[in-house]
Amino acid sequence: MKIVLPVAGNGMRLRPYTEDLPKCLLPVAGKPIIDWIVEDSQDLKPEETIFITGYKAEQMDEYLTRKPEWGKTRTVRQENPQGLGEAISLALPFVDDGEPLLIILGDTLFEADLSILKREKENVLYTFRVEDPSRFGVAVTNAQGKIERLEEKPQKFVSDEAIVGIYFIRDVRALKDALAEIMKNDRRTKGEFQLTDALQMMIEAGCKFHTAPVQKWLDCGLVETLLDTNAYVISRNDNSSEFSAHSVKGPCHIGKNVTLINSRIGPNVAVGDNCVLKNCKIKNAILWDGVRISGGTIENTIVHR
């Protein structure tokens, strides 16, 4: 199996934080977003993980040199981004027709069972049941759970299974052909080459797809949702009890070599490594590595370097 992680986006909605880092390297609960995604997929033992980079690509290249535990990795540059379909097409020359492919969007965290893919014989789209399907692309399934079609932001109810950005492809040759046809004919949706258009072509050509459930879908696209995601992930990885001698109210993540002086931290705070916090109150916040704060109250925000 090979895994493709598109991480080329410029993260405009997360400025000014993405002026320093690409979105996938923004910290959540003590680790970059991309770390949580890759670590969730490591049990699949991929032959190679391919990162589609673009904005601040050099930083991603450098970061991967510090991750030998991720095994064989490769970066492919998307110089002039024209949609997710184009991004995936750039990785496909490095994927053999007969080997399975897992695509995971590099800016969304999730809780899902990926281990089922080790024995999966069909194409799979992971979905999450939502209250307002009109905001999402959805998978329309039949009584047997097979996907009949994909529909973007339906105004009338057809399905509540939102497509979350985890795509398992067995029919790699069919995906290659569909994307090649889309781009050859300049078939765009909202000005871009869309992966979902290629998947719909595969379904119409007879490729079998079914859904698999995501138990939790966590957005990292806005400051508010990034803070919500941070709070949730911290609640599952709380280390505040290690700092009982200090005024730390969990759940929190406190990084390495952090100095706490007369400060009240928490709840829902992620403090990066090598921070110095003196005479301050902080809650529901993300502090990057090396932040120094003396005095004041920090709440509902991100403090970067």
Side-chain angles (χ1 to χ4, degrees):
M1 180 186 298
K2 289 189 178 174
I3 297 177
V4 172
L5 298 172
V7 294
N10 57 25
M12 287 296 293
R13 295 185 301 167
L14 280 165
R15 295 291 175 93
Y17 309 108
T18 49
E19 291 175 1
D20 288 344
L21 290 174
K23 182 178 177 179
C24 67
L25 293 183
L26 296 182
V28 168
K31 290 190 286 192
I33 293 169
I34 198 67
D35 282 46
W36 294 105
I37 298 171
V38 172
E39 289 170 12
D40 280 345
S41 64
Q42 285 296 285
D43 185 54
L44 297 173
K45 296 180 171 51
E47 178 185 337
E48 183 177 41
T49 302
I50 303 171
F51 297 84
I52 309 299
T53 61
Y55 178 70
K56 294 190 178 294
E58 298 81 4
Q59 291 194 32
M60 194 64 200
D61 290 339
E62 191 279 328
Y63 188 72
L64 290 176
T65 66
R66 294 184 265 143
K67 291 292 180 179
E69 66 272 22
W70 287 1
K72 185 180 179 181
T73 60
R74 179 195 304 269
T75 59
V76 179
R77 190 77 62 93
Q78 189 181 20
E79 298 287 357
N80 179 28
Q82 299 183 65
L84 181 58
E86 185 216 20
I88 300 306
S89 74
L90 297 174
L92 292 182
F94 307 102
V95 182
D96 293 337
D97 292 354
E99 64 181 333
L101 171 65
L102 177 61
I103 302 165
I104 306 177
L105 300 190
D107 60 359
T108 300
L109 301 187
F110 57 87
E111 289 182 358
D113 183 7
L114 298 182
S115 67
I116 63 172
L117 301 179
K118 295 178 182 179
R119 54 188 180 276
E120 184 56 62
K121 302 302 181 184
E122 293 183 355
N123 306 291
V124 180
L125 303 185
Y126 280 79
T127 60
F128 182 73
R129 294 193 179 277
V130 295
E131 292 184 2
D132 182 9
S134 66
R135 298 172 49 214
F136 306 96
V138 299
V140 181
T141 58
N142 61 23
Q144 291 72 44
K146 303 297 183 182
I147 298 176
E148 294 183 327
R149 69 182 189 277
L150 307 177
E151 192 161 329
E152 184 66 23
K153 298 182 179 180
Q155 296 308 299
K156 294 182 179 180
F157 182 85
V158 293
S159 169
D160 61 357
E161 293 191 74
I163 303 166
V164 302
I166 307 173
Y167 315 85
F168 178 71
I169 306 298
R170 271 288 183 183
D171 297 318
V172 172
R173 180 72 258 170
L175 177 62
K176 290 179 178 179
D177 291 344
L179 285 172
E181 181 176 339
I182 284 172
M183 289 189 288
K184 178 182 178 181
N185 296 321
D186 198 31
R187 177 179 165 185
R188 300 170 185 257
T189 300
K190 295 184 178 179
E192 295 185 331
F193 299 114
Q194 301 291 351
L195 176 61
T196 50
D197 288 342
L199 299 177
Q200 180 63 37
M201 290 176 63
M202 292 172 64
I203 293 170
E204 292 170 0
C207 296
K208 295 181 179 180
F209 283 79
H210 65 267
T211 62
V214 167
Q215 286 73 45
K216 192 73 175 180
W217 187 19
L218 301 165
D219 185 21
C220 299
L222 300 169
V223 171
E224 310 90 81
T225 58
L226 189 63
L227 288 170
D228 289 343
T229 293
N230 180 68
Y232 179 81
V233 177
I234 286 174
S235 73
R236 308 298 290 267
N237 300 272
D238 182 14
N239 73 347
S240 59
S241 61
E242 300 174 20
F243 300 86
S244 56
H246 300 276
S247 296
V248 177
K249 180 181 179 181
C252 285
H253 168 83
I254 310 296
K256 300 175 183 177
N257 302 317
V258 171
T259 300
L260 302 177
I261 302 172
N262 192 33
S263 295
R264 294 169 58 186
I265 311 299
N268 301 328
V269 175
V271 180
D273 297 343
N274 305 309
C275 290
V276 178
L277 309 177
K278 181 178 179 181
N279 300 324
C280 57
K281 299 178 182 178
I282 304 174
K283 63 180 179 179
N284 194 38
I286 299 173
L287 277 58
W288 289 19
D289 292 350
V291 166
R292 302 174 69 90
I293 299 174
S294 181
T297 298
I298 304 294
E299 184 176 355
N300 302 325
T301 193
I302 300 170
V303 183
H304 67 338
R305 55 173 176 254

